[in-house]
Amino acid sequence: PGTDMAEFREVFAKAKHIAIITGAGVSAESGVPTFRGAGGFWRKWQAQELATPGAFARNPSRVWEFYHYRREVMLSKHPNPAHIAIAECEKRLSKQGRSVVVITQNIDELHRKAGTKHLLEIHGSLFKTRCTSCGNVAANYKSPICPALAGKGAPDPDTEDAAIPVEDLPQCEEDGCNGLLRPHVVWFGEALDPGVLTAVEKELDICDLCLVVGTSSVVYPAAMFAPQVSARGVPVAEFNMEATPATDRFR
């Protein structure tokens, strides 16, 4: 509806610091399952039944099977032209002394794979773990993440739970810890990392153009980011396949 490319090009040409907010829509074309919406089941569960602290406390084996499946799927996926255009934009602008920050809700690391350097992952990453005992966060690209999960995690509804004993699930490798690891992602009912949020706020305060790409702007607090920028009179451009609840609030 509000497509004025000439005006956008003008604003874009002048912008010194661009904040790009991305969501699941950016990764859809890479074939990344979102687990939201109608077909969003793994076995007989929806993501919001598995991606919770309570689900992990009750059945860490099942939750790890779900995340092992997602990690394995992601290892075979590649950045698509959207990720590449965003990384290219950062690279090109930095040569002109301009900067780009990507603030993403995605946990798939495809922005990183595409070459984006300045990246804030507000929901964490599938390829990081956090120890439930000592709190240590570490990058982890092992496939499988532990021997007991090899060949597990099949998504079809008839698959039996693997019921892996806790001591065989991923364990912390810090000296003498051996605590149970969990995926370093923000689960339903958990707060975002305050450090990451502070970094995001800082970027939103200094940006002079904001792009919203592939997100329906309904998941909080990310849904507030662009309206917050817009309220300061900074132009916001939305790149989506269809109008979203936020479309009318931007120019």
PDB file of all heavy atoms in Angstrom, residues 159-196:
ATOM      1  N   THR A 159       6.438 -41.475  16.385  1.00  0.00           N
ATOM      2  CA  THR A 159       7.749 -41.755  16.982  1.00  0.00           C
ATOM      3  C   THR A 159       7.646 -41.834  18.500  1.00  0.00           C
ATOM      4  O   THR A 159       7.033 -40.976  19.139  1.00  0.00           O
ATOM      5  CB  THR A 159       8.758 -40.652  16.601  1.00  0.00           C
ATOM      6  OG1 THR A 159       8.667 -40.411  15.201  1.00  0.00           O
ATOM      7  CG2 THR A 159      10.180 -41.047  16.955  1.00  0.00           C
ATOM      8  N   GLU A 160       8.244 -42.883  19.063  1.00  0.00           N
ATOM      9  CA  GLU A 160       8.295 -43.016  20.529  1.00  0.00           C
ATOM     10  C   GLU A 160       9.322 -42.039  21.101  1.00  0.00           C
ATOM     11  O   GLU A 160      10.369 -41.817  20.497  1.00  0.00           O
ATOM     12  CB  GLU A 160       8.738 -44.444  20.907  1.00  0.00           C
ATOM     13  CG  GLU A 160       7.721 -45.535  20.601  1.00  0.00           C
ATOM     14  CD  GLU A 160       6.531 -45.497  21.558  1.00  0.00           C
ATOM     15  OE1 GLU A 160       6.753 -45.448  22.791  1.00  0.00           O
ATOM     16  OE2 GLU A 160       5.384 -45.490  21.066  1.00  0.00           O
ATOM     17  N   ASP A 161       9.044 -41.521  22.305  1.00  0.00           N
ATOM     18  CA  ASP A 161      10.049 -40.729  23.021  1.00  0.00           C
ATOM     19  C   ASP A 161      11.299 -41.576  23.260  1.00  0.00           C
ATOM     20  O   ASP A 161      11.191 -42.756  23.598  1.00  0.00           O
ATOM     21  CB  ASP A 161       9.501 -40.292  24.392  1.00  0.00           C
ATOM     22  CG  ASP A 161       8.787 -38.956  24.309  1.00  0.00           C
ATOM     23  OD1 ASP A 161       8.762 -38.371  23.211  1.00  0.00           O
ATOM     24  OD2 ASP A 161       8.253 -38.492  25.336  1.00  0.00           O
ATOM     25  N   ALA A 162      12.471 -40.957  23.121  1.00  0.00           N
ATOM     26  CA  ALA A 162      13.719 -41.705  23.337  1.00  0.00           C
ATOM     27  C   ALA A 162      13.974 -41.952  24.824  1.00  0.00           C
ATOM     28  O   ALA A 162      14.708 -42.869  25.182  1.00  0.00           O
ATOM     29  CB  ALA A 162      14.888 -40.954  22.720  1.00  0.00           C
ATOM     30  N   ALA A 163      13.380 -41.124  25.681  1.00  0.00           N
ATOM     31  CA  ALA A 163      13.546 -41.263  27.143  1.00  0.00           C
ATOM     32  C   ALA A 163      15.023 -41.460  27.543  1.00  0.00           C
ATOM     33  O   ALA A 163      15.390 -42.434  28.187  1.00  0.00           O
ATOM     34  CB  ALA A 163      12.690 -42.416  27.663  1.00  0.00           C
ATOM     35  N   ILE A 164      15.850 -40.530  27.121  1.00  0.00           N
ATOM     36  CA  ILE A 164      17.297 -40.599  27.415  1.00  0.00           C
ATOM     37  C   ILE A 164      17.528 -40.173  28.869  1.00  0.00           C
ATOM     38  O   ILE A 164      17.011 -39.136  29.294  1.00  0.00           O
ATOM     39  CB  ILE A 164      18.069 -39.660  26.461  1.00  0.00           C
ATOM     40  CG1 ILE A 164      17.864 -40.111  24.997  1.00  0.00           C
ATOM     41  CG2 ILE A 164      19.554 -39.606  26.807  1.00  0.00           C
ATOM     42  CD1 ILE A 164      18.256 -39.065  23.966  1.00  0.00           C
ATOM     43  N   PRO A 165      18.296 -40.963  29.637  1.00  0.00           N
ATOM     44  CA  PRO A 165      18.584 -40.555  31.025  1.00  0.00           C
ATOM     45  C   PRO A 165      19.335 -39.222  31.058  1.00  0.00           C
ATOM     46  O   PRO A 165      20.149 -38.947  30.170  1.00  0.00           O
ATOM     47  CB  PRO A 165      19.467 -41.677  31.569  1.00  0.00           C
ATOM     48  CG  PRO A 165      19.528 -42.739  30.528  1.00  0.00           C
ATOM     49  CD  PRO A 165      18.928 -42.224  29.259  1.00  0.00           C
ATOM     50  N   VAL A 166      19.056 -38.425  32.083  1.00  0.00           N
ATOM     51  CA  VAL A 166      19.636 -37.076  32.179  1.00  0.00           C
ATOM     52  C   VAL A 166      21.157 -37.088  32.033  1.00  0.00           C
ATOM     53  O   VAL A 166      21.731 -36.241  31.357  1.00  0.00           O
ATOM     54  CB  VAL A 166      19.209 -36.389  33.505  1.00  0.00           C
ATOM     55  CG1 VAL A 166      20.019 -35.119  33.739  1.00  0.00           C
ATOM     56  CG2 VAL A 166      17.729 -36.044  33.440  1.00  0.00           C
ATOM     57  N   GLU A 167      21.800 -38.105  32.620  1.00  0.00           N
ATOM     58  CA  GLU A 167      23.276 -38.093  32.571  1.00  0.00           C
ATOM     59  C   GLU A 167      23.831 -38.340  31.163  1.00  0.00           C
ATOM     60  O   GLU A 167      25.000 -38.087  30.905  1.00  0.00           O
ATOM     61  CB  GLU A 167      23.881 -39.075  33.594  1.00  0.00           C
ATOM     62  CG  GLU A 167      23.469 -40.533  33.434  1.00  0.00           C
ATOM     63  CD  GLU A 167      22.132 -40.861  34.140  1.00  0.00           C
ATOM     64  OE1 GLU A 167      21.388 -39.925  34.504  1.00  0.00           O
ATOM     65  OE2 GLU A 167      21.858 -42.064  34.317  1.00  0.00           O
ATOM     66  N   ASP A 168      22.978 -38.798  30.242  1.00  0.00           N
ATOM     67  CA  ASP A 168      23.428 -38.993  28.857  1.00  0.00           C
ATOM     68  C   ASP A 168      23.059 -37.829  27.941  1.00  0.00           C
ATOM     69  O   ASP A 168      23.413 -37.817  26.759  1.00  0.00           O
ATOM     70  CB  ASP A 168      22.857 -40.296  28.282  1.00  0.00           C
ATOM     71  CG  ASP A 168      23.388 -41.521  29.018  1.00  0.00           C
ATOM     72  OD1 ASP A 168      24.495 -41.415  29.592  1.00  0.00           O
ATOM     73  OD2 ASP A 168      22.690 -42.554  29.038  1.00  0.00           O
ATOM     74  N   LEU A 169      22.336 -36.857  28.469  1.00  0.00           N
ATOM     75  CA  LEU A 169      21.995 -35.656  27.685  1.00  0.00           C
ATOM     76  C   LEU A 169      23.210 -34.727  27.672  1.00  0.00           C
ATOM     77  O   LEU A 169      24.174 -34.955  28.414  1.00  0.00           O
ATOM     78  CB  LEU A 169      20.765 -34.971  28.307  1.00  0.00           C
ATOM     79  CG  LEU A 169      19.440 -35.742  28.134  1.00  0.00           C
ATOM     80  CD1 LEU A 169      18.335 -35.084  28.967  1.00  0.00           C
ATOM     81  CD2 LEU A 169      19.026 -35.815  26.667  1.00  0.00           C
ATOM     82  N   PRO A 170      23.204 -33.668  26.838  1.00  0.00           N
ATOM     83  CA  PRO A 170      24.387 -32.790  26.775  1.00  0.00           C
ATOM     84  C   PRO A 170      24.806 -32.252  28.152  1.00  0.00           C
ATOM     85  O   PRO A 170      23.966 -31.792  28.928  1.00  0.00           O
ATOM     86  CB  PRO A 170      23.902 -31.646  25.859  1.00  0.00           C
ATOM     87  CG  PRO A 170      22.886 -32.312  24.971  1.00  0.00           C
ATOM     88  CD  PRO A 170      22.167 -33.284  25.859  1.00  0.00           C
ATOM     89  N   GLN A 171      26.102 -32.360  28.421  1.00  0.00           N
ATOM     90  CA  GLN A 171      26.655 -31.988  29.729  1.00  0.00           C
ATOM     91  C   GLN A 171      27.666 -30.858  29.607  1.00  0.00           C
ATOM     92  O   GLN A 171      28.409 -30.796  28.623  1.00  0.00           O
ATOM     93  CB  GLN A 171      27.404 -33.189  30.325  1.00  0.00           C
ATOM     94  CG  GLN A 171      26.597 -34.464  30.391  1.00  0.00           C
ATOM     95  CD  GLN A 171      26.137 -34.775  31.804  1.00  0.00           C
ATOM     96  OE1 GLN A 171      26.933 -34.919  32.718  1.00  0.00           O
ATOM     97  NE2 GLN A 171      24.831 -34.850  31.978  1.00  0.00           N
ATOM     98  N   CYS A 172      27.729 -30.047  30.645  1.00  0.00           N
ATOM     99  CA  CYS A 172      28.671 -28.923  30.686  1.00  0.00           C
ATOM    100  C   CYS A 172      30.108 -29.429  30.702  1.00  0.00           C
ATOM    101  O   CYS A 172      30.441 -30.389  31.400  1.00  0.00           O
ATOM    102  CB  CYS A 172      28.407 -28.088  31.931  1.00  0.00           C
ATOM    103  SG  CYS A 172      29.478 -26.655  32.075  1.00  0.00           S
ATOM    104  N   GLU A 173      30.970 -28.768  29.918  1.00  0.00           N
ATOM    105  CA  GLU A 173      32.368 -29.190  29.855  1.00  0.00           C
ATOM    106  C   GLU A 173      33.305 -28.291  30.662  1.00  0.00           C
ATOM    107  O   GLU A 173      34.521 -28.447  30.622  1.00  0.00           O
ATOM    108  CB  GLU A 173      32.824 -29.259  28.385  1.00  0.00           C
ATOM    109  CG  GLU A 173      32.148 -30.420  27.655  1.00  0.00           C
ATOM    110  CD  GLU A 173      32.398 -30.433  26.153  1.00  0.00           C
ATOM    111  OE1 GLU A 173      33.291 -29.685  25.698  1.00  0.00           O
ATOM    112  OE2 GLU A 173      31.699 -31.197  25.445  1.00  0.00           O
ATOM    113  N   GLU A 174      32.711 -27.338  31.414  1.00  0.00           N
ATOM    114  CA  GLU A 174      33.565 -26.528  32.294  1.00  0.00           C
ATOM    115  C   GLU A 174      34.148 -27.437  33.379  1.00  0.00           C
ATOM    116  O   GLU A 174      33.511 -28.422  33.785  1.00  0.00           O
ATOM    117  CB  GLU A 174      32.740 -25.410  32.966  1.00  0.00           C
ATOM    118  CG  GLU A 174      32.301 -24.310  32.028  1.00  0.00           C
ATOM    119  CD  GLU A 174      33.473 -23.521  31.447  1.00  0.00           C
ATOM    120  OE1 GLU A 174      34.077 -22.724  32.188  1.00  0.00           O
ATOM    121  OE2 GLU A 174      33.770 -23.701  30.249  1.00  0.00           O
ATOM    122  N   ASP A 175      35.354 -27.071  33.892  1.00  0.00           N
ATOM    123  CA  ASP A 175      36.050 -27.938  34.854  1.00  0.00           C
ATOM    124  C   ASP A 175      35.155 -28.433  35.976  1.00  0.00           C
ATOM    125  O   ASP A 175      34.612 -27.643  36.747  1.00  0.00           O
ATOM    126  CB  ASP A 175      37.254 -27.199  35.455  1.00  0.00           C
ATOM    127  CG  ASP A 175      38.389 -27.135  34.432  1.00  0.00           C
ATOM    128  OD1 ASP A 175      38.293 -27.873  33.430  1.00  0.00           O
ATOM    129  OD2 ASP A 175      39.336 -26.340  34.635  1.00  0.00           O
ATOM    130  N   GLY A 176      35.008 -29.748  36.051  1.00  0.00           N
ATOM    131  CA  GLY A 176      34.305 -30.384  37.171  1.00  0.00           C
ATOM    132  C   GLY A 176      32.844 -30.018  37.317  1.00  0.00           C
ATOM    133  O   GLY A 176      32.257 -30.245  38.372  1.00  0.00           O
ATOM    134  N   CYS A 177      32.215 -29.444  36.286  1.00  0.00           N
ATOM    135  CA  CYS A 177      30.816 -29.041  36.444  1.00  0.00           C
ATOM    136  C   CYS A 177      29.852 -30.178  36.093  1.00  0.00           C
ATOM    137  O   CYS A 177      29.068 -30.633  36.919  1.00  0.00           O
ATOM    138  CB  CYS A 177      30.503 -27.800  35.602  1.00  0.00           C
ATOM    139  SG  CYS A 177      28.757 -27.306  35.729  1.00  0.00           S
ATOM    140  N   ASN A 178      29.908 -30.646  34.836  1.00  0.00           N
ATOM    141  CA  ASN A 178      29.010 -31.714  34.355  1.00  0.00           C
ATOM    142  C   ASN A 178      27.526 -31.430  34.526  1.00  0.00           C
ATOM    143  O   ASN A 178      26.718 -32.358  34.598  1.00  0.00           O
ATOM    144  CB  ASN A 178      29.326 -33.074  35.026  1.00  0.00           C
ATOM    145  CG  ASN A 178      30.751 -33.509  34.765  1.00  0.00           C
ATOM    146  OD1 ASN A 178      31.315 -33.198  33.714  1.00  0.00           O
ATOM    147  ND2 ASN A 178      31.351 -34.190  35.724  1.00  0.00           N
ATOM    148  N   GLY A 179      27.154 -30.158  34.636  1.00  0.00           N
ATOM    149  CA  GLY A 179      25.729 -29.818  34.760  1.00  0.00           C
ATOM    150  C   GLY A 179      24.991 -30.135  33.460  1.00  0.00           C
ATOM    151  O   GLY A 179      25.599 -30.275  32.396  1.00  0.00           O
ATOM    152  N   LEU A 180      23.680 -30.246  33.553  1.00  0.00           N
ATOM    153  CA  LEU A 180      22.847 -30.479  32.366  1.00  0.00           C
ATOM    154  C   LEU A 180      22.806 -29.201  31.532  1.00  0.00           C
ATOM    155  O   LEU A 180      22.553 -28.115  32.049  1.00  0.00           O
ATOM    156  CB  LEU A 180      21.429 -30.870  32.819  1.00  0.00           C
ATOM    157  CG  LEU A 180      20.355 -30.989  31.729  1.00  0.00           C
ATOM    158  CD1 LEU A 180      20.678 -32.120  30.750  1.00  0.00           C
ATOM    159  CD2 LEU A 180      18.975 -31.205  32.350  1.00  0.00           C
ATOM    160  N   LEU A 181      23.078 -29.336  30.234  1.00  0.00           N
ATOM    161  CA  LEU A 181      22.990 -28.188  29.339  1.00  0.00           C
ATOM    162  C   LEU A 181      21.560 -28.036  28.818  1.00  0.00           C
ATOM    163  O   LEU A 181      20.826 -29.015  28.700  1.00  0.00           O
ATOM    164  CB  LEU A 181      23.930 -28.361  28.137  1.00  0.00           C
ATOM    165  CG  LEU A 181      25.424 -28.372  28.418  1.00  0.00           C
ATOM    166  CD1 LEU A 181      26.199 -28.584  27.115  1.00  0.00           C
ATOM    167  CD2 LEU A 181      25.890 -27.077  29.093  1.00  0.00           C
ATOM    168  N   ARG A 182      21.190 -26.808  28.490  1.00  0.00           N
ATOM    169  CA  ARG A 182      19.929 -26.530  27.804  1.00  0.00           C
ATOM    170  C   ARG A 182      20.244 -25.673  26.592  1.00  0.00           C
ATOM    171  O   ARG A 182      21.305 -25.047  26.537  1.00  0.00           O
ATOM    172  CB  ARG A 182      18.948 -25.806  28.728  1.00  0.00           C
ATOM    173  CG  ARG A 182      19.487 -24.496  29.298  1.00  0.00           C
ATOM    174  CD  ARG A 182      18.403 -23.614  29.850  1.00  0.00           C
ATOM    175  NE  ARG A 182      17.736 -22.862  28.777  1.00  0.00           N
ATOM    176  CZ  ARG A 182      16.728 -22.007  28.984  1.00  0.00           C
ATOM    177  NH1 ARG A 182      16.280 -21.800  30.202  1.00  0.00           N
ATOM    178  NH2 ARG A 182      16.188 -21.357  27.970  1.00  0.00           N
ATOM    179  N   PRO A 183      19.347 -25.636  25.613  1.00  0.00           N
ATOM    180  CA  PRO A 183      19.574 -24.716  24.490  1.00  0.00           C
ATOM    181  C   PRO A 183      19.595 -23.266  25.013  1.00  0.00           C
ATOM    182  O   PRO A 183      18.797 -22.917  25.878  1.00  0.00           O
ATOM    183  CB  PRO A 183      18.357 -24.953  23.595  1.00  0.00           C
ATOM    184  CG  PRO A 183      17.813 -26.296  24.000  1.00  0.00           C
ATOM    185  CD  PRO A 183      18.112 -26.421  25.457  1.00  0.00           C
ATOM    186  N   HIS A 184      20.520 -22.459  24.471  1.00  0.00           N
ATOM    187  CA  HIS A 184      20.597 -21.051  24.884  1.00  0.00           C
ATOM    188  C   HIS A 184      19.634 -20.234  24.017  1.00  0.00           C
ATOM    189  O   HIS A 184      20.033 -19.444  23.174  1.00  0.00           O
ATOM    190  CB  HIS A 184      22.026 -20.529  24.752  1.00  0.00           C
ATOM    191  CG  HIS A 184      22.187 -19.108  25.218  1.00  0.00           C
ATOM    192  ND1 HIS A 184      21.777 -18.690  26.468  1.00  0.00           N
ATOM    193  CD2 HIS A 184      22.685 -18.001  24.594  1.00  0.00           C
ATOM    194  CE1 HIS A 184      22.029 -17.379  26.591  1.00  0.00           C
ATOM    195  NE2 HIS A 184      22.578 -16.948  25.469  1.00  0.00           N
ATOM    196  N   VAL A 185      18.345 -20.508  24.223  1.00  0.00           N
ATOM    197  CA  VAL A 185      17.304 -19.770  23.508  1.00  0.00           C
ATOM    198  C   VAL A 185      16.315 -19.260  24.542  1.00  0.00           C
ATOM    199  O   VAL A 185      16.212 -19.824  25.638  1.00  0.00           O
ATOM    200  CB  VAL A 185      16.573 -20.650  22.465  1.00  0.00           C
ATOM    201  CG1 VAL A 185      17.524 -21.092  21.355  1.00  0.00           C
ATOM    202  CG2 VAL A 185      15.931 -21.859  23.111  1.00  0.00           C
ATOM    203  N   VAL A 186      15.606 -18.198  24.187  1.00  0.00           N
ATOM    204  CA  VAL A 186      14.609 -17.656  25.110  1.00  0.00           C
ATOM    205  C   VAL A 186      13.321 -18.450  24.903  1.00  0.00           C
ATOM    206  O   VAL A 186      12.755 -18.459  23.811  1.00  0.00           O
ATOM    207  CB  VAL A 186      14.369 -16.154  24.846  1.00  0.00           C
ATOM    208  CG1 VAL A 186      13.291 -15.618  25.786  1.00  0.00           C
ATOM    209  CG2 VAL A 186      15.670 -15.378  25.037  1.00  0.00           C
ATOM    210  N   TRP A 187      12.881 -19.125  25.967  1.00  0.00           N
ATOM    211  CA  TRP A 187      11.671 -19.937  25.890  1.00  0.00           C
ATOM    212  C   TRP A 187      10.438 -19.112  26.239  1.00  0.00           C
ATOM    213  O   TRP A 187      10.550 -18.034  26.846  1.00  0.00           O
ATOM    214  CB  TRP A 187      11.794 -21.132  26.839  1.00  0.00           C
ATOM    215  CG  TRP A 187      12.629 -22.247  26.285  1.00  0.00           C
ATOM    216  CD1 TRP A 187      12.843 -22.520  24.967  1.00  0.00           C
ATOM    217  CD2 TRP A 187      13.359 -23.234  27.024  1.00  0.00           C
ATOM    218  NE1 TRP A 187      13.648 -23.632  24.834  1.00  0.00           N
ATOM    219  CE2 TRP A 187      13.977 -24.086  26.074  1.00  0.00           C
ATOM    220  CE3 TRP A 187      13.539 -23.492  28.386  1.00  0.00           C
ATOM    221  CZ2 TRP A 187      14.770 -25.171  26.444  1.00  0.00           C
ATOM    222  CZ3 TRP A 187      14.316 -24.573  28.760  1.00  0.00           C
ATOM    223  CH2 TRP A 187      14.936 -25.411  27.796  1.00  0.00           C
ATOM    224  N   PHE A 188       9.267 -19.636  25.867  1.00  0.00           N
ATOM    225  CA  PHE A 188       8.011 -18.992  26.244  1.00  0.00           C
ATOM    226  C   PHE A 188       7.984 -18.838  27.767  1.00  0.00           C
ATOM    227  O   PHE A 188       8.327 -19.768  28.490  1.00  0.00           O
ATOM    228  CB  PHE A 188       6.810 -19.819  25.770  1.00  0.00           C
ATOM    229  CG  PHE A 188       6.678 -19.840  24.269  1.00  0.00           C
ATOM    230  CD1 PHE A 188       7.244 -20.876  23.528  1.00  0.00           C
ATOM    231  CD2 PHE A 188       6.012 -18.821  23.590  1.00  0.00           C
ATOM    232  CE1 PHE A 188       7.147 -20.902  22.131  1.00  0.00           C
ATOM    233  CE2 PHE A 188       5.919 -18.834  22.200  1.00  0.00           C
ATOM    234  CZ  PHE A 188       6.480 -19.874  21.479  1.00  0.00           C
ATOM    235  N   GLY A 189       7.623 -17.646  28.218  1.00  0.00           N
ATOM    236  CA  GLY A 189       7.564 -17.407  29.662  1.00  0.00           C
ATOM    237  C   GLY A 189       8.881 -16.955  30.260  1.00  0.00           C
ATOM    238  O   GLY A 189       8.966 -16.697  31.456  1.00  0.00           O
ATOM    239  N   GLU A 190       9.938 -16.836  29.437  1.00  0.00           N
ATOM    240  CA  GLU A 190      11.220 -16.348  29.953  1.00  0.00           C
ATOM    241  C   GLU A 190      11.461 -14.911  29.487  1.00  0.00           C
ATOM    242  O   GLU A 190      10.976 -14.510  28.433  1.00  0.00           O
ATOM    243  CB  GLU A 190      12.372 -17.231  29.450  1.00  0.00           C
ATOM    244  CG  GLU A 190      12.361 -18.605  30.073  1.00  0.00           C
ATOM    245  CD  GLU A 190      13.587 -19.431  29.685  1.00  0.00           C
ATOM    246  OE1 GLU A 190      14.030 -19.353  28.531  1.00  0.00           O
ATOM    247  OE2 GLU A 190      14.074 -20.174  30.556  1.00  0.00           O
ATOM    248  N   ALA A 191      12.230 -14.186  30.287  1.00  0.00           N
ATOM    249  CA  ALA A 191      12.561 -12.807  29.919  1.00  0.00           C
ATOM    250  C   ALA A 191      13.756 -12.801  28.968  1.00  0.00           C
ATOM    251  O   ALA A 191      14.572 -13.720  28.981  1.00  0.00           O
ATOM    252  CB  ALA A 191      12.901 -12.008  31.174  1.00  0.00           C
ATOM    253  N   LEU A 192      13.846 -11.755  28.145  1.00  0.00           N
ATOM    254  CA  LEU A 192      15.020 -11.604  27.279  1.00  0.00           C
ATOM    255  C   LEU A 192      16.223 -11.224  28.120  1.00  0.00           C
ATOM    256  O   LEU A 192      16.098 -10.638  29.188  1.00  0.00           O
ATOM    257  CB  LEU A 192      14.758 -10.522  26.226  1.00  0.00           C
ATOM    258  CG  LEU A 192      14.153 -11.025  24.911  1.00  0.00           C
ATOM    259  CD1 LEU A 192      12.799 -11.646  25.136  1.00  0.00           C
ATOM    260  CD2 LEU A 192      14.032  -9.904  23.905  1.00  0.00           C
ATOM    261  N   ASP A 193      17.395 -11.565  27.614  1.00  0.00           N
ATOM    262  CA  ASP A 193      18.652 -11.226  28.282  1.00  0.00           C
ATOM    263  C   ASP A 193      18.767  -9.706  28.404  1.00  0.00           C
ATOM    264  O   ASP A 193      18.764  -8.998  27.397  1.00  0.00           O
ATOM    265  CB  ASP A 193      19.799 -11.794  27.429  1.00  0.00           C
ATOM    266  CG  ASP A 193      21.166 -11.483  28.004  1.00  0.00           C
ATOM    267  OD1 ASP A 193      21.371 -10.352  28.493  1.00  0.00           O
ATOM    268  OD2 ASP A 193      22.035 -12.355  27.949  1.00  0.00           O
ATOM    269  N   PRO A 194      18.878  -9.200  29.642  1.00  0.00           N
ATOM    270  CA  PRO A 194      18.923  -7.741  29.829  1.00  0.00           C
ATOM    271  C   PRO A 194      20.101  -7.081  29.111  1.00  0.00           C
ATOM    272  O   PRO A 194      19.991  -5.962  28.613  1.00  0.00           O
ATOM    273  CB  PRO A 194      19.024  -7.550  31.339  1.00  0.00           C
ATOM    274  CG  PRO A 194      19.065  -8.893  31.958  1.00  0.00           C
ATOM    275  CD  PRO A 194      18.927  -9.946  30.899  1.00  0.00           C
ATOM    276  N   GLY A 195      21.227  -7.793  29.029  1.00  0.00           N
ATOM    277  CA  GLY A 195      22.409  -7.252  28.333  1.00  0.00           C
ATOM    278  C   GLY A 195      22.122  -7.033  26.854  1.00  0.00           C
ATOM    279  O   GLY A 195      22.477  -5.992  26.277  1.00  0.00           O
ATOM    280  N   VAL A 196      21.468  -8.016  26.239  1.00  0.00           N
ATOM    281  CA  VAL A 196      21.132  -7.911  24.817  1.00  0.00           C
ATOM    282  C   VAL A 196      20.108  -6.793  24.615  1.00  0.00           C
ATOM    283  O   VAL A 196      20.223  -5.990  23.683  1.00  0.00           O
ATOM    284  CB  VAL A 196      20.579  -9.260  24.270  1.00  0.00           C
ATOM    285  CG1 VAL A 196      20.131  -9.122  22.824  1.00  0.00           C
ATOM    286  CG2 VAL A 196      21.635 -10.351  24.395  1.00  0.00           C
TER     287      VAL A 196
END
